[in-house]
Amino acid sequence: MSTTTATEPVYPIDEAMLIPIHPAAAAFPTLGRRDLRELVEDIRVQGLQQPIVLIREGETVYVLDGANRRAACEKAGVEPRFEWYEGSNPEGYVMSANLRRRHMTPGQRAACAAKVLTTRANSASQSAIALDVNVSQSAVSHAFIVNEDDPDLLQQVIDGKVTLGAAYDTVRRRKEGRPISDPIPIAPSDERATSSPLAIAVRAALTVIGTDDPVTAGMRATDEEVPTTDLLKVRDFFVATISARS
């Protein structure tokens, strides 16, 4: 049975694993295998340094922050520690906690903001959100549009399977009644290097091979915060290389 002290809740690990994840926290992808292994080893050696944060909404208790730490504690055989969230903005807390410590592309950050906040924000709110998550306002706007039209596609952006630019282009073409194809997938990887500036530029360039539409190239460059000229240079390099080998 769980118990609650004046300052912190106490759950044995078997009960702790049954606590549902708060919807705002569920918008963020779980750690990859490598990062989870590293977290398990760190907790096994050092113990759990940061408590898992719980929130009570009505009669339900949720994990607001620390689902990965909870999973790592189970694998490490360490009893987790908990604390209650005492603020008034759980969504904002989740955004701040996750975006501060995760390796995410600008497109993923914008997509997570749209997923957590769920409803379409006005332009003033989008500007504030963009500042909060350190991305362009257009990226936030595109993420909200994709979420409204195709939440599953936005989840693919969050999971790192497609870029925000590719997802937005698919939605835009669908709305305009233009031919669409599946967004070019990003090869799954457990490497942190996938969020490096060079990797982002290359990934964005790959999505515009085969198009000379400057609007499409510009949108994808903006969504991934890559200068359009750099994106087109990388694209042209790929095209020239492919042509030379054909």
Side-chain angles (χ1 to χ4, degrees):
M1 288 291 292
S2 64
T3 60
T4 302
T5 68
T7 57
E8 64 179 28
V10 178
Y11 289 87
I13 188 62
D14 57 339
E15 289 188 26
M17 296 303 298
L18 300 177
I19 302 174
I21 299 173
H22 191 276
F28 288 84
T30 56
L31 291 178
R33 290 188 299 273
R34 171 180 293 184
D35 288 335
L36 182 58
R37 285 197 301 269
E38 291 179 356
L39 182 59
V40 169
E41 186 59 25
D42 182 74
I43 288 177
R44 181 179 290 120
V45 174
Q46 305 291 339
L48 180 63
Q49 300 298 306
Q50 184 177 359
I52 297 162
V53 181
L54 303 181
I55 186 173
R56 185 184 298 278
E57 293 186 347
E59 297 299 316
T60 304
V61 173
Y62 295 98
V63 173
L64 186 63
D65 180 58
N68 288 305
R69 299 195 296 279
R70 176 179 64 175
C73 282
E74 181 187 37
K75 291 180 179 295
V78 173
E79 286 294 325
R81 294 182 294 108
F82 300 91
E83 65 182 15
W84 291 112
Y85 172 70
E86 298 179 349
S88 58
N89 182 13
E91 290 80 10
Y93 175 82
V94 167
M95 292 290 294
S96 176
N98 283 275
L99 296 179
R100 184 178 64 249
R101 60 175 176 251
R102 287 176 181 253
H103 301 278
M104 305 180 77
T105 68
Q108 285 178 299
R109 294 200 299 272
C112 284
K115 194 81 169 182
V116 170
L117 301 175
T118 65
T119 57
R120 178 70 177 276
N122 59 38
S123 60
S125 297
Q126 289 182 9
S127 177
I129 292 168
L131 287 173
D132 286 342
V133 300
N134 193 28
V135 299
S136 66
Q137 185 174 338
S138 64
V140 172
S141 175
H142 292 173
F144 274 101
I145 290 171
V146 173
N147 192 43
E148 284 183 339
D149 187 82
D150 193 336
D152 291 338
L153 182 56
L154 188 79
Q155 188 61 50
Q156 292 185 50
V157 176
I158 294 172
D159 293 339
K161 295 178 180 178
V162 300
T163 66
L164 176 59
Y168 175 72
D169 189 49
T170 295
V171 169
R172 182 173 66 98
R173 288 174 176 271
R174 184 186 297 153
K175 288 179 178 292
E176 294 173 355
R178 297 165 60 191
I180 61 172
S181 57
D182 292 336
I184 297 175
I186 299 171
S189 173
D190 203 30
E191 300 295 330
R192 294 185 181 89
T194 56
S195 60
S196 70
L198 177 59
I200 294 170
V202 170
R203 189 162 62 234
L206 286 172
T207 68
V208 296
I209 288 179
T211 179
D212 291 319
D213 179 6
V215 174
T216 298
M219 285 191 307
R220 294 190 179 175
T222 297
D223 288 341
E224 300 296 345
E225 293 189 347
V226 177
T228 303
T229 53
D230 289 355
L231 182 150
L232 294 178
K233 286 178 182 178
V234 177
R235 182 201 66 175
D236 292 343
F237 170 79
F238 284 140
V239 171
T241 303
I242 292 170
S243 298
R245 294 184 176 181
S246 61

